[in-house]
Amino acid sequence: MALPSVWSAMRVAVLSLSVVGLLSVRLVEAGQDSGSVIPAESRPCVDCHAFEFMQRALQDLKKTAYNLDTR
């Protein structure tokens, strides 16, 4: 008979943890400032950095290919 009481206790514990988790998530979301968003003008341009990186990588590949061809 002890088995059903263990299962009911587990159910209550899981439900309680779920409720506490959901409430804490809502409190965290409510505590975030909506004015703390960084404007797009001051953020680094990821596309520009990626483009520059790819240009440098392509130049390195061209140099390597030229060096291999001249050997």
Side-chain angles (χ1 to χ4, degrees):
M1 253 348 214
L3 190 59
S5 64
V6 171
W7 284 112
S8 63
M10 289 291 286
R11 286 182 191 160
V12 169
V14 168
L15 287 174
S16 299
L17 288 174
S18 299
V19 169
V20 169
L22 288 173
L23 289 175
S24 65
V25 167
R26 286 191 175 182
L27 288 174
V28 167
E29 288 177 357
Q32 292 179 350
D33 294 333
S34 62
S36 64
V37 177
I38 300 172
E41 295 83 21
S42 63
R43 285 184 293 202
C45 178
V46 176
D47 291 336
C48 296
H49 292 300
F51 182 73
E52 291 171 2
F53 175 78
M54 292 302 290
Q55 272 187 326
R56 277 187 249 121
L58 185 59
Q59 288 173 356
D60 291 343
L61 284 173
K62 286 180 181 178
K63 287 178 187 176
T64 304
Y66 178 77
N67 288 338
L68 289 173
D69 286 340
T70 57
R71 286 185 184 175

